[in-house]
Amino acid sequence: LPSQQTAVPFGQQIVHTNVHTSVIATAPARSPAADRGPPPFWVPLVSGMIAGGIETITVWPMEFIKTQLQLNSPTNPLPYNSMSSGFKWTIKNNGFLGLYRGLAPTLIGSIPKAGIRFGLNAEIKGRLRDSNGNLTPSKNFLAGLVAGVSEALIIVAPVETVKTKCIDMNVPFLSGVKTILKNEGVSGVYQGALATAMKQGSNQGLRFMWFNEYKTFVTNNGETQMTPLKSLFGGMSAGCFSTLGNNPFDVVKTRMQGTEATQYKNTVDCFRQIFGK
């Protein structure tokens, strides 16, 4: 007798039957993202630039106080020791706009920085996907790591150095740049580049890994859409996760970019001295 065959769509159970045998096989699951294909490179690039500018303006007051606390030392003590007391002291003595001192260089750098981050991450993820369009957590981490190191060496290192020294010297952006170039030369702008690359690489690797795994879970591997609220929570949780994981690198980066960085021989020595104290 002729065999009878029935096949259901790819990714579901496939059953072949005839009078002699019955075989059941399951095809590998295919991500819906693979069917849609990756977006054009400029989409995550432009989206990242817009998001980067909004993010920087929103979180800058907290970043400003955080940097001050990380620079605190016995030889240069602060009049406050926490985020809340830092807000109160700064507003009382410098006014509300005092919280935004040093914003200019970071805002200027954050727009291309975020563009590089999201654009390059999307490009690398597209190249790392398997034949079914899926990514493992380690591949998500690798894509974020490469994007983070790239943005650090191209944009973040000089911008963060100028930002940190302006805050440390309590001077405006242009005055700070002139002082750095006069006293330290161009190399002073790239001070702490290794620590910055370590910080940004680990930060973005952990952040993208967490968010992509979160997105896969809440959308059932792309079967449903992400709501704005779910995206907000995913971004917040990814930020918290990455910060907890790489805060030691952030502290070292800030110390290496401060005006008292000459007390450290290099990034490794900075780690050693901080842990030694």
Side-chain angles (χ1 to χ4, degrees):
L1 293 174
S3 63
Q4 298 176 339
Q5 295 186 349
T6 303
V8 294
F10 186 82
Q12 300 180 16
Q13 194 177 57
I14 300 175
V15 180
H16 302 280
T17 62
N18 56 39
V19 295
H20 301 294
T21 61
S22 177
V23 179
I24 299 177
T26 302
R30 182 175 175 85
S31 168
D35 299 320
R36 292 193 297 268
F41 179 76
W42 65 267
V43 173
L45 180 71
V46 175
S47 300
M49 292 172 70
I50 295 172
I54 295 173
E55 176 195 18
T56 300
I57 294 173
T58 302
V59 305
W60 181 253
M62 290 175 284
E63 176 70 17
F64 175 78
I65 300 299
K66 182 212 74 171
T67 302
Q68 295 273 37
L69 291 171
Q70 289 177 333
L71 290 171
N72 190 30
S73 66
T75 58
N76 186 28
L78 288 171
Y80 51 85
N81 57 12
S82 67
M83 187 69 72
S84 58
S85 61
F87 275 113
K88 293 177 182 177
W89 187 92
T90 302
I91 293 173
K92 180 180 178 180
N93 291 273
N94 301 320
F96 178 76
L97 293 180
L99 292 170
Y100 284 87
R101 193 177 76 241
L103 172 63
T106 304
L107 181 60
I108 292 170
S110 68
I111 297 175
K113 174 189 76 173
I116 292 171
R117 176 192 306 169
F118 286 95
L120 191 56
N121 178 259
E123 180 69 18
I124 295 172
K125 286 199 304 181
R127 296 178 181 275
L128 292 177
R129 292 185 187 277
D130 62 21
S131 59
N132 294 311
N134 298 313
L135 284 167
T136 62
S138 61
K139 288 183 177 180
N140 273 318
F141 177 81
L142 178 61
L145 176 70
V146 174
V149 171
S150 299
E151 73 175 52
L153 297 178
I154 297 171
I155 300 292
V156 180
V159 170
E160 285 286 304
T161 299
V162 173
K163 176 210 77 173
T164 302
K165 291 187 177 181
C166 283
I167 291 175
D168 203 7
M169 294 184 293
N170 193 23
V171 297
F173 171 55
L174 292 179
S175 298
V177 172
K178 291 178 181 177
T179 301
I180 294 169
L181 293 177
K182 179 181 178 181
N183 296 335
E184 304 173 49
V186 177
S187 62
V189 176
Y190 276 89
Q191 197 168 12
L194 175 60
T196 302
M198 294 169 64
K199 182 254 183 179
Q200 290 298 118
S202 60
N203 185 36
Q204 301 312 322
L206 293 170
R207 184 171 299 187
F208 279 112
M209 180 183 70
W210 175 283
F211 185 81
N212 281 288
E213 291 303 305
Y214 166 86
K215 183 179 179 181
T216 299
F217 175 77
V218 300
T219 64
N220 192 24
N221 198 29
E223 294 292 339
T224 60
Q225 293 293 320
M226 282 275 283
T227 64
L229 185 60
K230 288 179 179 179
S231 294
L232 176 65
F233 180 77
M236 292 173 62
S237 60
C240 292
F241 175 72
S242 63
T243 300
L244 290 173
N246 86 324
N247 193 66
F249 295 118
D250 191 28
V251 173
V252 171
K253 174 197 74 69
T254 303
R255 293 287 185 91
M256 288 296 295
Q257 292 172 334
T259 55
E260 298 185 6
T262 52
Q263 64 182 296
Y264 309 114
K265 297 178 182 178
N266 49 46
T267 300
V268 175
D269 183 56
C270 185
F271 267 109
R272 184 184 60 79
Q273 289 196 41
I274 291 174
F275 283 113
K277 296 176 181 178

